[in-house]
Amino acid sequence: MNRQLIEVGVVLLFASVPLWLGNLYYLHILITTGIFIIAAISLNLLLGYTGQLSLGHVAFFGIGAYTSALVSLGFDLELTDSYTFVFEPKPVWFSFLCGILFAAVCGWLIGKISFKVRGAYFVIVTISFAEVVRLVALNWIDLTEGPMALNNIPPFTLGIPGLWELTFYKKEPNYWLVLALCVLSFVIVRRLVESRAGRAMIALRENEPLATSVGVDVTKYLVLATVVSAGMAGAAGGLYTHYVRIVDPDVFLFIYTVTMVIMVITGGKGTLLGPIIGGLIFGILPEALRGVAGPEVQWIIYGILMILIVYFLPQGIVPALTNWWRQREGHQDPPAPKETAREVVN
Amino acid sequence: MAGKANQDKALTVDGLTVKFGGLTAVDAMTFDVHEGEVLSLIGPNGAGKTTAFNAITGYLKPSGGNIAYREANLVGLNPNQIADLGVVRTFQKTSVFGGQTAFDNVLMGLHRRQKQTALEIIFGLPSVGSEEQTMREKAREVLDFVGLGARANELGSALPYGEQRLLEVAIALAAHPSLLLLDEPVSGMNPSETASFMDMLGEIRKLGITVLLVEHDMKMVMGVSDRVVVLNYGSIIANGSPAEIQKNPDVIRAYLGERHRKTKRGGRGKRRA
Ligand SMILES: Nc1ncnc2c1ncn2[C@@H]1O[C@H](COP(=O)(O)OP(=O)(O)OP(=O)(O)O)[C@@H](O)[C@H]1O
Ligand SMILES: [Mg+2]
């Protein structure tokens, strides 16, 4: 009960931001940060809960972005000299779902081929995959326009065509949409993590032989995590594409994966709030620094902060805060049974 | 269904052979475990007991032989598939989910008893919540059963050694075994812990669970077993009731050397390496 009230309060607080922020540029930063947070939440499911590092995570983001853009724009493909395949533009909600689905299918494939061996192998497969997809986006010019980028991507719309429609040209509705999907991603990951599926993932991370001895199917749960994670990253990509309304092969840059990893690790991998806290810090910080420091100085500050966090709080910010909180509580009224604390949280 | 003689055979190990390069760790091992009995597999260090466990539970591919549980062939199955048939093992080297509370350790063990699919979970169907509630109660019951009820919120890695060993058994019991394989469950326990473990084994047995036990503690083996199989250098050298085994000259010979080695080594460190 308590927990739900706090949660609703926090969401309402975030939802009210456009009403009082009064600066569209700040709102823009929050929107892109929110999109990154969704990607970080999705990465955390893999990295934090199953312990598998996907260093090509941006591939799923980019696939979601490109798929949704292409389905909403429509495209022609000259398959033979005499036959051209024409794909008519589809509504954005539909293209967005296609993006999620296609990213998830790619996640399934990657999971199936790489989890036979896992560990370093998974890292390599995901990196290579991201690079391959980037090259496809760059060179399949008939489809993707290559470096010229896909332009004029339609924004999100809401409502019934012909009757009443709201097109998301403005920042505010985009912000609320991103917020809603952040909440949804968070809820999905929390449901998984607090269920037999999430426990199976954690069990595999902690002690694989023991997990299998009680019937946990390794491949099944690692693939499940990859599929959900990839689909969620694809959703983030779709949001991005219909918000900035232009997408080029740079969405596949390695630096974006690195940013997601930093967000998850500094925030606290394997915690529900970690990617949100890490995402807020490393989403807003570069923009905040932009005004006061040159680009090189920015990167240095960025790097130093990250090293400090990882050095002093190796488990990340959220676990450190939880521990500190627990100890503080412990000092005030010592034998408070952890039992009740736990029941409240659940 | 097979004939009557077969009917009470739970596990059948037939000519099981496991080789590591040139070393034959288990050599044409043949024995049965009957439904509802406690059968102990004993033998000096390096005799091949753990290797046999690993082969039975799918952690090792045997070089030869057959393993069947209640008519199902186990060779070639993954450990989780074997667990799904009700064959659940513990490990010689203490093995818990160290970063999780004792309670969550048992919840993880309950995996097999839960039925929710990923989609049901993601959509948050009410049945997910109610099953979760039932499982939490189950987890508590299992913890109480092994006597760790008061430790529910301690981290697995923070428990004292003897309690970690109990937690391992709790995790295995949570997985609803019909055949439970215990690999030296009381090693490292003090005599009073061992005594209460023996009582617990009686309780486990009353639940109708068949037990295959590997153990060096002879007092315990002779106290709890219906039958004992003795392994030496990968081969079975004796198979009979505890009383028969104690009188068997081959067994005495195999163990005499062992006892000397044991006192010289003074501890279990080397064996775990
Ligand atoms: N993975 C492996 N690779 C190579 N040799 C192995 C391996 N596992 C076990 N062995 C060898 O196989 C033999 C049997 O080992 P095993 O662990 O099964 O003995 P054990 O009967 O369980 O002994 P203990 O009582 O010390 O636990 C030993 O000689 C051991 O060194
Ligand atoms: Mg052994």
Side-chain angles (χ1 to χ4, degrees), chain B residues 34-114:
Chain B
H34 299 237
E35 295 283 2
E37 80 174 336
V38 175
L39 183 123
S40 288
L41 185 60
I42 66 169
N45 292 126
K49 306 176 295 291
T50 299
T51 305
F53 263 32
N54 287 340
I56 293 168
T57 49
Y59 288 82
L60 271 178
K61 295 268 166 285
S63 324
N66 286 315
I67 307 163
Y69 181 66
R70 293 185 174 172
E71 320 280 303
N73 180 21
L74 302 190
V75 178
L77 298 187
N78 292 328
N80 62 291
Q81 294 169 315
I82 292 173
D84 275 337
L85 294 170
V87 179
V88 180
R89 56 96 52 95
T90 65
F91 296 83
Q92 177 171 355
K93 196 169 171 243
T94 314
S95 184
V96 297
F97 301 111
Q100 309 295 313
T101 62
F103 184 73
D104 285 344
N105 268 268
V106 177
L107 270 181
M108 286 170 173
L110 285 165
H111 182 79
R112 220 164 74 68
R113 295 205 209 184
Q114 294 167 271

Side-chain angles (χ1 to χ4, degrees), chain B residues 121-177:
Chain B
I121 292 164
I122 287 173
F123 286 110
L125 299 191
S127 60
V128 177
S130 61
E131 190 189 74
E132 195 64 12
Q133 212 46 50
T134 327
M135 285 305 138
R136 294 183 155 269
E137 282 156 26
K138 276 247 156 60
R140 248 168 232 299
E141 275 171 31
V142 176
L143 270 183
D144 287 338
F145 181 87
V146 301
L148 289 179
R151 298 297 207 175
N153 293 305
E154 304 281 335
L155 285 187
S157 57
L159 293 176
Y161 189 75
E163 292 186 348
Q164 287 194 18
R165 305 246 64 175
L166 290 175
L167 183 57
E168 289 178 84
V169 177
I171 296 168
L173 284 176
H176 215 272

Side-chain angles (χ1 to χ4, degrees), chain A residues 38-48 54 57 229 257 260-261 264:
Chain A
I38 296 173
I41 289 176
S42 78
L43 180 68
N44 185 39
L45 182 62
L46 261 182
L47 175 60
S54 161
H57 211 60
S229 176
T257 299
M260 294 175 206
V261 172
V264 171

Side-chain angles (χ1 to χ4, degrees), chain B residues 20 23 25 43-52 92 183-184 216 271:
Chain B
F20 297 112
L23 173 83
N45 292 126
K49 306 176 295 291
T50 299
T51 305
Q92 177 171 355
D183 198 347
E184 302 196 25
H216 280 287
R271 206 193 308 148

